[in-house]
Amino acid sequence: MVSKKDIVCIVVLYNPDKQVINNIKEYCHLFNRIVLVDNSEKDNNDIFAKILNAKYIPLKANTGIAKAINVGIENSDEPYILTMDQDSIISENLIDAYISFLNKMDSSDLGALTPQYDTDRNHIVSAEGYEKILLSMQSGTLFKRKTFNKIGLFNEELFLDVVDWEFFLRMKEAHLNLIRLNNAVLKHQPAITKVIGFGPFKLKYGSASPIRYYYQARNLLWTARKYHSKPLYANLFVKFLKIILLFDHKQTYLKSFRQGIRDANNNQLGKYYSNYEGN
């Protein structure tokens, strides 16, 4: 029988503040162990010292989301791995839902369990049932260690953005299922939410920095081509439309977006450096 002692939680940190620390303290008891992998330049070990079941690993540099998660995986041995962004909020109900499903419905072709995401743009309530889906986010998702043993770790060359989607598409190629539990809900904060009015209607949309749009454009196109994924091509087009129709400083965003497209076409992956400029 699966229990909480079989689950390790890997949290990727980047310049954590008091809210992040308090958030982790709220849910640390839900797991056998928490591995805190810190992409900050500063060593923050002292502020997490009171979390007794936490292992803190400072990387002293921003190595990217994929590298940080992989370090956490390699520094743990529990059979189940839940990955978390530092600003996501997890509840005991979510963990209980995962454990209940695994003890009743586990199968050899199950690769990972994922929740519904409750955000300020799209509020979600718990519901019954579950469904097989293609894509989700890594934050709040519970992976089997066997999944990583079979298909490998996250792709560190992507560095940031689309890292989870690439992994889920790789799972699909290996005939491993991604199951969303409708009674598992994670409070998540993706990017910055902006609101624009159209008469009586309001549109909420996400906004991030131009460098994030570089990574999104590059990694969406590169991954879409690798897996012949129509949903990723569609998402890339939506990103472009958002810049054209909704964003201020369009030229700055378009420059980053175009650079991402060029780098995807040239198979130029890894971390983006500001001294690497395209025209």
Side-chain angles (χ1 to χ4, degrees), residues 88-266:
S88 293
I89 301 173
I90 198 166
S91 70
E92 188 163 8
N93 289 341
L94 184 146
I95 300 302
D96 288 343
Y98 283 165
I99 291 174
S100 176
F101 185 90
L102 289 171
N103 285 327
K104 294 176 182 177
M105 305 285 289
D106 193 12
S107 61
S108 60
D109 60 358
L110 174 64
L113 297 176
T114 198
Q116 296 196 85
Y117 293 93
D118 181 25
T119 71
D120 57 358
R121 284 174 236 157
N122 184 30
H123 287 294
I124 296 293
V125 295
S126 178
E128 295 297 320
Y130 64 91
E131 54 190 302
K132 183 167 70 172
I133 61 174
L134 177 63
L135 302 171
S136 185
M137 291 182 274
Q138 58 78 22
S139 186
T141 294
L142 184 74
F143 300 88
K144 285 183 172 180
R145 187 171 294 276
K146 289 180 179 178
T147 301
F148 296 108
N149 293 341
K150 183 173 182 178
I151 69 172
L153 301 175
F154 289 99
N155 186 343
E156 296 178 13
E157 285 296 300
L158 297 180
F159 191 77
L160 186 68
D161 290 309
V162 196
V163 168
D164 40 17
W165 287 9
E166 189 278 335
F167 188 84
F168 292 133
L169 290 171
R170 212 181 331 146
M171 273 177 41
K172 182 176 183 294
E173 280 199 338
H175 306 290
L176 294 173
N177 293 325
L178 174 63
I179 301 295
R180 183 176 67 204
L181 302 188
N182 295 330
N183 64 338
V185 179
L186 181 80
K187 287 189 178 296
H188 187 64
Q189 299 176 349
I192 298 170
T193 296
K194 293 189 175 182
V195 181
I196 187 170
F198 296 97
F201 303 101
K202 291 183 178 180
L203 172 66
K204 292 183 177 180
Y205 64 95
S207 176
S209 65
I211 189 63
R212 291 294 299 273
Y213 272 75
Y214 162 80
Y215 283 116
Q216 290 170 17
R218 186 192 73 181
N219 294 348
L220 280 168
L221 180 57
W222 186 87
T223 306
R225 283 181 172 167
K226 181 176 181 180
Y227 296 99
H228 310 288
S229 174
K230 291 180 181 179
L232 266 64
Y233 280 120
N235 191 272
L236 179 65
F237 183 62
V238 169
K239 298 284 184 185
F240 175 74
L241 288 181
K242 282 174 65 177
I243 295 173
I244 297 299
L245 299 176
L246 300 174
F247 282 16
D248 297 325
H249 311 293
K250 298 182 192 300
Q251 290 305 317
T252 301
Y253 277 92
L254 286 171
K255 181 180 180 181
S256 294
F257 194 89
R258 287 194 297 264
Q259 184 65 59
I261 297 297
R262 280 193 290 268
D263 284 356
N265 287 332
N266 294 326

Side-chain angles (χ1 to χ4, degrees), residues 52-105:
L52 299 181
N53 66 332
K55 178 177 184 177
Y56 177 81
I57 304 174
L59 300 182
K60 303 291 185 68
N62 187 0
T63 65
I65 186 74
K67 172 68 173 179
I69 296 175
N70 290 345
V71 167
I73 295 169
E74 291 167 341
N75 281 272
S76 61
D77 56 9
E78 288 83 353
Y80 297 94
I81 300 162
L82 187 135
T83 63
M84 286 281 285
D85 292 342
Q86 66 178 10
D87 53 2
S88 293
I89 301 173
I90 198 166
S91 70
E92 188 163 8
N93 289 341
L94 184 146
I95 300 302
D96 288 343
Y98 283 165
I99 291 174
S100 176
F101 185 90
L102 289 171
N103 285 327
K104 294 176 182 177
M105 305 285 289

